[in-house]
Amino acid sequence: MKLPIITAEQRQQEHKGVKAVLLGQSGVGKTSQLWTLPADKTLFIDLEAGDLAVQGWQGDTVRPPTWPDFRLLVAFIAGPNPALGEKQPYSPAHYQAACEKFGDPAGLDKYAIFFVDSITALARLCFQWSSKQAEAFSERTGKPDTRGAYGLHGREMIAALNHLQHARGKHVIYVGILEERVDDFNRRIFQPQIEGSRTGLELPGIVDEVITMASLPDEQGNLQRSFVCQTLNPWGFPAKDRSGRLDQTEPAHLGKLLRKISQPLAERQLQYATSAPAQPQTEPQQPSQQGA
């Protein structure tokens, strides 16, 4: 048996799907980004029943009512993980159950994009299910155990997101609400609005792209919707670009953004600082003694 090496040429010929999370405050127009995607190649996974903004959109929609239904859909989209046990989600047995419920998985071949709206609502759906499982109750007293519920919730969410990463060749876009708060030092902090802390902390490391949709002023000072795409940005928005193809801000058009990420990249150019960063001031400056 030979070592199953994938050459650089073979890897570059593979069609790679983008896994991204699109964050933004309520009302900024995240769901309306469906209009920028090809309706015949996009499956809208509607978890929020907030499709009024895209009422005339001509694409297909599914609405998983429970967390187990969403897990079956994830297995159906991404296929089985042969390393998992028979009773575990996303195992070959779980995938077979998904095929028995949804039919021939070849029916998904026409979809290139899965638009999940929203990960905020998905987390609520997961926590509702987790809080009713045996792990969410104390073995000694039988009373609800909040730590157990949140622990199960975190594992379930991370497992689902990681499994969808293996839907190679498919774009998966998670929409999420961006929450703004002020910390103990009176600094503005932006973070995804997701039930439980673990998913919000690990999500940027799972997906390829973290995009914040925000209203930013143009050169004339007029506000316009823009995508913030790079981690180093002056607004402190959550952002990450694993592709190396995106500028700090991009036009708020998801379809064009996906096409730009899919363009060939011959060489990745990294930017390095040419001088040492300024050192923080640790001691207060003494007043000048001149003229005393």
Side-chain angles (χ1 to χ4, degrees), residues 18 20 171 209 211 241 243 245-246 256-265:
V18 177
H171 301 311
E209 309 289 328
I211 310 296
D241 174 30
S243 73
R245 296 170 173 85
L246 302 181
K256 292 181 179 178
L257 191 83
L258 292 177
R259 289 194 291 272
K260 184 173 184 178
I261 293 174
S262 301
Q263 291 176 354
L265 182 66

Side-chain angles (χ1 to χ4, degrees), residues 67-94:
W67 177 249
D69 287 317
F70 181 79
R71 290 196 310 190
L72 281 172
L73 182 61
V74 169
F76 193 59
I77 292 172
N81 183 347
L84 298 176
E86 183 177 350
K87 295 183 179 181
Q88 291 180 282
Y90 319 118
S91 65
H94 190 234

Side-chain angles (χ1 to χ4, degrees), residues 29-201:
K30 301 182 296 299
T31 304
S32 296
Q33 286 295 315
L34 264 178
W35 291 105
T36 71
L37 303 175
D40 59 332
K41 297 181 179 180
T42 303
L43 181 62
F44 179 26
I45 303 176
D46 183 12
L47 298 160
E48 206 160 66
D51 57 349
L52 184 61
V54 291
Q55 192 170 9
W57 185 70
Q58 297 298 308
D60 296 337
T61 303
V62 293
R63 296 186 178 117
T66 67
W67 177 249
D69 287 317
F70 181 79
R71 290 196 310 190
L72 281 172
L73 182 61
V74 169
F76 193 59
I77 292 172
N81 183 347
L84 298 176
E86 183 177 350
K87 295 183 179 181
Q88 291 180 282
Y90 319 118
S91 65
H94 190 234
Y95 174 70
Q96 184 60 37
C99 293
E100 291 174 1
K101 181 170 183 176
F102 300 132
D104 187 355
L108 293 175
D109 291 346
K110 69 174 184 176
Y111 302 116
I113 306 170
F114 298 93
F115 190 87
V116 184
D117 187 17
S118 67
I119 195 171
T120 303
L122 178 63
R124 296 193 194 108
L125 197 69
C126 179
F127 187 73
Q128 289 173 1
W129 176 85
S130 300
S131 62
K132 297 176 183 178
Q133 306 308 304
E135 193 170 329
F137 296 88
S138 171
E139 294 182 357
R140 185 171 59 86
T141 65
K143 294 182 179 181
D145 180 5
T146 304
R147 290 188 303 174
Y150 274 111
L152 177 60
H153 166 264
R155 293 194 299 275
E156 286 285 331
M157 286 290 295
I158 297 303
L161 298 175
N162 273 320
H163 194 68
L164 269 178
Q165 280 291 101
H166 295 283
R168 296 188 67 85
K170 304 290 186 180
H171 301 311
V172 181
I173 311 298
Y174 305 100
V175 174
I177 296 176
L178 185 66
E179 183 177 75
E180 179 182 353
R181 66 182 182 86
V182 178
D183 67 7
D184 296 336
F185 299 97
N186 204 33
R187 296 175 300 188
R188 287 199 312 165
I189 293 178
F190 297 95
Q191 61 187 18
Q193 189 182 95
I194 300 177
E195 189 77 40
S197 60
R198 181 178 175 185
T199 305
L201 291 172

